[in-house]
Amino acid sequence: MSDIKPQPGILEIAPYVGGASKIEGVTDVVKLSSNENPFGPSEKATEAFRRASHDLHRYPNTHHTPLRTAIAEQHDLDVTRIICGVGSDEIIAFLCQAYAGVGDEVIYTEHGFSMYKISALAAGATPVKVGESDRVVDVDKILAGCTPRTRLVFIANPGNPTGTMVKPAELKRLAESLPEKVLLVLDGAYAEFADGFDGGASLVDSRDNVVMTRTFSKAYGLGGLRVGWGYGPAEVIDVLNRIRGPFNLSEPQLATAEAALRDRDHVDRCVRENDRLRAWLREALIGHGLEVDESHANFLLVRFADEAEAVACDEALKADGLIVRRVGGYGFPEALRITVGDEPACRRVAHVIGRFKGTVE
């Protein structure tokens, strides 16, 4: 056996498993397993991507100023406190690399995004899972989980795969109550779908212990390009930029994300359709006898009587060419996470599940 060993924690990582995209023997497949925008990116974004493809032999800029400027203008933020990354995942990894290591602890909640645990382990830190209450992040449980070794707290708001939200007053209470050496990270991957929510920007601006992350993968329809960003205190962003690779984003990524951000009409249409279809599908599934919390994202967490029923329904959906996500790994073996697709997809899901439950012919 070789004496060459990886850093502590790395061999404890279970590799991330993405949503399935194919069904053996089925050609008419609708993928509703990865919370992708069913309407895709805007035409302005795809045109920007085509234009950028003419300069693939050129290195991209290292400072990301055009995209950071567009983000600052769109969200009324300080451009100097914005960092861009390969999806928000890379910002999460930077935070763990910079602020947590061997002997430190990173808190995440029981149904939180799996990359929090993975990034903590990759940095050599100890991930600490704390409970939620009725599928909602519980501030008191997080505070009770803090120890002198705690360095980071990760919260997805809205949550994935729950779709639930923490109220702004509770986020503020958490930020004010955390120990001095703890950084609170608000992951707003689905913030665009939560009416009136700023992703935590106002809290970042009023505190020196809060960072927020955002992504272009969901509402902007750019999951295939992997572009995200973070906003935080100037000293934190300075630290993250010191470990960020100089060319971590390509010019096609930067130009396409900027064009997508500036096309507000397209994003607004996507969000309006998601709101309408999310409400319709939730009511339809509740009408079929299922438990479905109100969601503030672009998916629904659908709860069945038990794991066996959830698995059976998943098989019925697959038989009809519909791919959804089993979420046993997130603590919900009795549930399926279903992306809100376009109207035909939503009606198809409701019909198949109704047929499975015996409430429709």
Side-chain angles (χ1 to χ4, degrees):
M1 178 67 70
S2 171
D3 289 333
I4 301 172
K5 306 292 184 185
Q7 293 282 15
I10 291 178
L11 291 181
E12 297 177 45
I13 295 172
Y16 181 84
V17 178
S21 59
K22 297 178 180 178
I23 302 174
E24 192 68 32
V26 179
T27 56
D28 182 19
V29 171
V30 178
K31 184 186 177 190
L32 302 171
S33 58
S34 297
N35 303 336
E36 296 154 334
N37 184 337
F39 308 106
S42 78
E43 292 183 2
K44 293 178 181 178
T46 54
E47 176 56 31
F49 183 81
R50 283 192 291 268
R51 288 197 304 270
S53 70
H54 297 299
D55 292 316
L56 296 181
H57 57 301
R58 304 294 184 191
Y59 279 101
N61 71 77
T62 64
H63 45 74
H64 308 158
T65 299
L67 178 56
R68 290 191 299 109
T69 299
I71 292 169
E73 291 173 353
Q74 183 66 50
H75 297 284
D76 192 24
L77 304 176
D78 180 352
V79 68
T80 66
R81 294 163 56 194
I82 296 171
I83 182 173
C84 298
V86 183
S88 52
D89 294 0
E90 188 176 39
I91 310 300
I92 291 167
F94 287 160
L95 286 162
C96 288
Q97 182 182 351
Y99 291 100
V102 176
D104 296 327
E105 294 176 347
V106 175
I107 287 179
Y108 68 105
T109 62
E110 65 176 313
H111 304 305
F113 184 37
S114 62
M115 288 307 300
Y116 308 148
K117 178 180 179 181
I118 289 173
S119 296
L121 288 170
T126 301
V128 176
K129 180 167 66 176
V130 301
E132 297 182 4
S133 296
D134 295 324
R135 299 164 302 284
V136 180
V137 168
D138 188 313
V139 167
D140 290 318
K141 290 181 179 179
I142 290 174
L143 293 174
C146 289
T147 74
R149 298 171 59 191
T150 305
R151 294 294 176 265
L152 291 164
V153 171
F154 284 103
I155 292 178
N157 202 36
N160 174 26
T162 62
T164 60
M165 286 195 72
V166 188
K167 294 180 179 178
E170 283 293 274
L171 289 178
K172 183 172 183 271
R173 181 167 74 89
L174 176 59
E176 291 173 346
S177 303
L178 286 172
E180 289 185 2
K181 293 184 178 181
V182 178
L183 194 60
L184 172 61
V185 183
L186 303 177
D187 179 359
Y190 300 93
E192 286 85 358
F193 302 107
D195 187 36
F197 182 49
D198 67 359
S202 58
L203 193 59
V204 174
D205 281 334
S206 65
R207 305 283 309 174
D208 61 4
N209 65 336
V210 183
V211 174
M212 77 173 191
T213 64
R214 301 286 287 272
T215 185
F216 286 93
S217 295
K218 307 304 180 185
Y220 295 95
L222 297 180
L225 274 193
R226 311 304 300 124
V227 186
W229 56 279
Y231 182 62
E235 58 271 23
V236 173
I237 300 304
D238 173 67
V239 167
L240 301 187
N241 274 316
R242 291 171 186 269
I243 58 176
R244 176 180 64 83
F247 303 112
N248 62 322
L249 289 173
S250 68
E251 196 58 37
Q253 288 172 294
L254 294 165
T256 306
E258 181 185 352
L261 184 68
R262 295 191 183 280
D263 190 353
R264 286 308 314 171
D265 288 343
H266 178 78
V267 177
D268 289 346
R269 282 195 301 271
C270 292
V271 170
R272 283 196 304 270
E273 277 296 277
N274 179 78
D275 289 349
R276 180 178 72 87
L277 293 167
R278 179 180 64 194
W280 181 89
L281 183 58
R282 177 172 182 250
E283 288 304 311
L285 296 178
I286 290 174
H288 294 319
L290 297 167
E291 295 186 12
V292 189
D293 290 330
E294 181 181 5
S295 173
H296 300 272
N298 66 338
F299 56 84
L300 295 171
L301 181 70
V302 184
R303 289 174 288 133
F304 295 80
D306 51 34
E307 182 177 5
E309 187 183 30
V311 170
C313 187
D314 184 41
E315 293 300 323
L317 288 164
K318 285 196 292 188
D320 203 77
L322 296 164
I323 304 176
V324 301
R325 186 73 180 264
R326 294 185 190 176
V327 282
Y330 282 98
F332 293 112
E334 79 288 3
L336 299 175
R337 191 191 68 188
I338 304 176
T339 302
V340 177
D342 59 16
E343 185 160 349
C346 287
R347 291 189 178 276
R348 191 166 153 187
V349 166
H351 179 76
V352 172
I353 292 181
R355 192 173 60 205
F356 169 79
K357 293 291 290 184
T359 53
V360 299
E361 294 295 331

